[in-house]
Amino acid sequence: MQGHCTCGDIRYRLTDRPLFTHCCHCRWCQRETGSAFVLNALIETACLEVTEGSTEAVETPSESGRGQIIHRCPRCRVALWSHYSGAGALFAFVRVGTLEDPDRVPPDIHIFTASKLPWVVLPPGAPAMEAFYRRSEHWPDWALARREAVLAHHM
């Protein structure tokens, strides 16, 4: 999968399929994006290749208090992906809207729906959590195995 910022100065590709895709409805994501939610495809950073340009890493507060690093285009300022404090730079949360074909990456789960805007209607049967969730209960086995392989390699 290929992706880019609005102005096209930054281009990237994913060399494998994302592990899991979150649709986050928390107030922090709403404020940060200026929208009702953010759609992030989680993937190993090693599977994210910048093919053109260089992002600017911007430290941004997060609800956890531990912050996140958002990689933005230095020209058009579009957020392309984030690294959260938990696993740091090992995993990237790619903004699905920056992919050239975002239709291929629907959300696997809706999280923090306790603060979901009331006029956002979730698809029937879509996994939805009031807050976060346990990976072991929702991620497919292949994704859990890939995650564990990265963590084991970097311990």
Side-chain angles (χ1 to χ4, degrees):
M1 285 184 253
Q2 309 285 324
H4 58 85
C5 63
T6 300
C7 72
D9 280 4
I10 308 294
R11 295 190 175 277
Y12 68 90
R13 70 178 169 172
L14 305 182
T15 60
D16 208 334
R17 67 180 172 170
L19 299 167
F20 209 67
T21 302
H22 295 149
C23 184
C24 184
H25 298 267
C26 80
R27 295 288 187 219
W28 282 78
C29 285
Q30 291 170 1
R31 187 174 306 105
E32 189 178 286
T33 63
S35 186
F37 51 80
V38 68
L39 196 55
N40 285 322
L42 175 60
I43 193 164
E44 304 95 319
T45 302
C47 296
L48 170 62
E49 295 179 353
V50 176
T51 57
E52 217 173 293
S54 181
T55 63
E56 178 182 9
V58 179
E59 291 185 39
T60 307
S62 66
E63 188 170 19
S64 71
R66 296 181 291 179
Q68 66 175 307
I69 305 294
I70 301 177
H71 285 263
R72 296 182 175 277
C73 170
R75 183 170 162 217
C76 68
R77 311 300 296 158
V78 165
L80 297 158
W81 60 84
S82 292
H83 298 291
Y84 288 92
S85 61
L90 296 177
F91 296 95
F93 289 75
V94 176
R95 302 300 191 274
V96 171
T98 66
L99 292 168
E100 290 178 4
D101 190 4
D103 297 355
R104 292 180 53 196
V105 190
D108 292 304
I109 198 165
H110 293 262
I111 57 176
F112 295 99
T113 59
S115 52
K116 177 183 74 60
L117 298 177
W119 43 262
V120 171
V121 179
L122 302 182
M129 302 299 181
E130 285 192 12
F132 204 65
Y133 64 95
R134 291 178 193 247
R135 271 184 293 278
S136 61
E137 295 175 7
H138 295 278
W139 282 33
D141 290 340
W142 63 265
L144 289 168
R146 276 177 44 193
R147 178 183 179 275
E148 288 305 315
V150 169
L151 295 175
H153 181 74
H154 289 88
M155 292 187 113

